């Protein structure tokens, strides 16, 4: 069903479209430039030219590997929530807090009415799309995750903050569509963590996507999906991107009882491991999904962003993923579509 929606928008994708989750590793010279920029040692223009060079590198690399739906690699973003919060009205930069593992970030504080300041990612999307004939995904951090990863000193409830953010993030999505983006990913890593808040996370997604002409992917991770399945099928999105490599493998068993009704982006690469998977491992993971879902509703990608890997590891993993998918396309052929 969604494949028809994509084709109607002029996006004809092969069986098992391959994509990545969003942010790719930054080359060492860019990481160094970011810290020098933070200390006022280089200009914004100098930083931006390195960000553009890194973006070009990742576009060429994805094309060379054969990825079907590209990302800009988010070379211009630091933290996925802070990037939006620091630029939106109603936020102040907070103190340093620890998130996952040894990652520290400045947790934003909502101190006033949140406000979209004008396009935040659109010029990067446009520029990246100008470098390739393959589709480039528009990428926004979702309202639930921005709310969850910020302190709230302004709104009476978490729900009110989340819905206010949703109305503003919708404006970024509208601007991406206006610029030509057909496939838009909403990153909601926090979405599946608090089961009791899931109803308003769904409501927020409605506010972001309803009535807009794009194919929407919701990327979730970190959660226990069993607790919000099959409710998550109510998300108004075309494609759910789930980390399958670890816990979610059991989810495929759950699908047997409550059939999965959307397209599935199947995470097949462990982004926390240095080891590059074998093609056999990747094929095995994809086939587990093929046994419970029609192959033409399955996309293939890593579990999450590859940004924590070295560029070499990320490229190695992407190559194996692509090689495995090429073999599966041969095996499954047109009969599976
Ligand atoms: Zn993720």
């Amino acid at each position: 069903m969604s494949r028809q929606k994509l084709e109607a928008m002029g996006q004809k994708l092969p069986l098992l479209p391959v994509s990545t989750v969003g942010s790719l590793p930054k080359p060492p010279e860019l990481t160094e430039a970011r810290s020098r920029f933070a200390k006022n040692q280089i200009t914004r223009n100098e930083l931006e030219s390195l960000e553009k060079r890194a973006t070009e590198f990742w576009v060429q690399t994805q094309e060379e590997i054969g990825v079907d739906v590209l990302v800009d690699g988010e070379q211009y973003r630091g933290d996925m929530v802070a990037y939006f919060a620091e630029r939106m009205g109603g936020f102040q930069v907070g103190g340093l807090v620890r998130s996952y593992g040894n990652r520290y970030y400045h947790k934003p504080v909502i101190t006033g009415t949140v406000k979209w300041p004008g396009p935040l990612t659109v010029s990067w999307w446009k520029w990246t799309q100008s470098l390739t004939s393959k589709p480039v995904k528009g990428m926004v951090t979702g309202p639930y995750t921005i709310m969850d990863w910020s302190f709230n000193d302004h709104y009476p409830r978490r729900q009110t903050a989340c819905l206010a953010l949703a109305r503003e993030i919708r404006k970024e999505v509208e601007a991406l569509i206006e610029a030509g983006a057909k496939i838009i990913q909403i990153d909601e890593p926090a979405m599946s963590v608090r089961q009791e808040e899931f109803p308003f996370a769904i409501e927020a997604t409605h506010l972001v996507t309803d009535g807009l002409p794009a194919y929407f992917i919701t990327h979730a991770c970190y959660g226990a999906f069993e607790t919000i399945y099959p409710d998550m099928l109510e998300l108004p999105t075309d494609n759910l991107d789930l980390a399958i490599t670890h816990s979610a493998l059991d989810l495929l068993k759950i699908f047997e009882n409550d059939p999965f009704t959307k397209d599935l982006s199947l995470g097949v690469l462990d982004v926390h491991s240095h080891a590059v998977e074998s093609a056999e491992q990747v094929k095995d993971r994809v086939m587990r999904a093929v046994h419970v879902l029609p192959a033409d509703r399955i996309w293939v990608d890593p579990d999450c962003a590859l940004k924590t890997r070295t560029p070499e590891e990320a490229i190695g993993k992407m190559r194996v993923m692509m090689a495995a998918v090429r073999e599966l396309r041969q095996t499954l052929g047109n009969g599976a579509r």
Side-chain angles (χ1 to χ4, degrees), residues 21 189 219-221 303-305:
V21 172
H219 170 69
C221 44
D303 263 7
C304 192

Side-chain angles (χ1 to χ4, degrees), residues 57-335:
F57 168 78
W58 282 118
V59 169
Q60 283 161 8
T61 303
Q62 292 172 87
E63 284 203 318
E64 187 250 316
I65 292 172
V67 172
D68 302 296
V69 178
L70 273 51
V71 295
D72 67 17
E74 300 178 16
Q75 302 297 295
Y76 55 96
R77 299 189 199 180
D79 177 79
M80 62 183 287
V81 164
Y83 179 80
F84 287 85
E86 284 167 6
R87 287 161 179 79
M88 288 177 75
F91 281 91
Q92 283 180 10
V93 177
L96 214 52
V97 296
R98 186 172 185 166
S99 63
Y100 302 94
N102 283 320
R103 183 171 150 269
Y104 287 81
Y105 74 112
H106 287 278
K107 187 165 178 170
V109 189
I110 305 175
T111 55
T113 304
V114 295
K115 192 170 177 358
W116 182 70
L120 294 163
T121 63
V122 177
S123 60
W124 280 104
W125 179 84
K126 264 187 176 168
W127 187 72
T128 308
Q129 185 64 81
S130 77
L131 302 173
T132 176
S133 57
K134 297 258 181 98
V136 176
K137 279 193 277 197
M139 314 278 299
V140 298
T141 304
Y144 184 85
T145 298
I146 299 180
M147 177 278 297
D148 191 52
W149 292 4
S150 303
F151 293 113
N152 168 27
D153 285 350
H154 177 74
Y155 291 96
R157 287 178 297 139
R158 285 164 60 87
Q159 176 173 3
T160 334
C162 177
L163 298 181
L165 279 161
R167 288 183 197 96
E168 300 307 299
I169 292 298
R170 179 188 179 91
K171 295 172 189 168
E172 181 69 14
V173 170
E174 286 171 340
L176 281 164
I177 293 171
E178 175 85 31
K182 305 274 197 286
I183 302 173
I184 294 180
Q185 180 174 311
I186 304 168
D187 288 321
E188 287 282 24
M191 191 179 246
S192 55
V193 179
R194 297 193 192 198
Q195 190 184 356
E196 71 281 9
E197 293 188 341
F198 197 60
F200 76 72
I202 294 176
E203 192 182 346
T205 311
H206 272 290
L207 290 175
V208 174
T209 65
D210 276 2
L212 296 181
Y215 177 89
F216 287 102
I217 301 171
T218 300
H219 170 69
C221 44
Y222 305 122
F225 301 112
E226 315 79 78
T227 62
I228 54 169
Y229 193 83
D231 292 355
M232 67 194 318
L233 297 176
E234 288 168 30
L235 280 170
T237 187
D238 301 288
N239 183 316
L240 284 175
D241 182 19
L242 304 177
I244 293 293
T245 308
H246 291 300
S247 60
L249 273 174
D250 289 343
L251 197 63
L252 299 178
K253 279 211 186 85
I254 301 173
F255 291 174
E256 287 170 7
N257 300 325
D258 288 296
F260 191 76
T261 51
K262 297 182 182 296
D263 291 352
L264 173 68
S265 284
L266 186 74
V268 295
L269 297 177
D270 183 351
V271 300
H272 300 295
S273 161
H274 295 287
V276 173
E277 285 77 0
S278 69
E280 286 307 313
Q281 280 175 310
V282 172
K283 282 197 288 183
D284 182 56
R285 287 166 189 166
V286 177
M287 286 311 293
R288 286 174 192 232
V290 170
H291 288 137
V292 289
L293 272 187
D296 74 347
R297 282 174 34 206
I298 300 169
W299 291 40
V300 178
D301 66 359
D303 263 7
C304 192
L306 286 164
K307 68 174 176 184
T308 53
R309 301 274 56 86
T310 64
E312 294 72 25
E313 287 167 354
I315 292 168
K317 282 172 180 274
M318 285 157 72
R319 275 196 208 292
V320 166
M321 173 169 69
M322 196 69 227
V325 165
R326 285 202 175 101
E327 282 184 47
L328 286 171
R329 282 177 186 160
Q330 293 281 333
T331 323
L332 297 168
N334 291 330

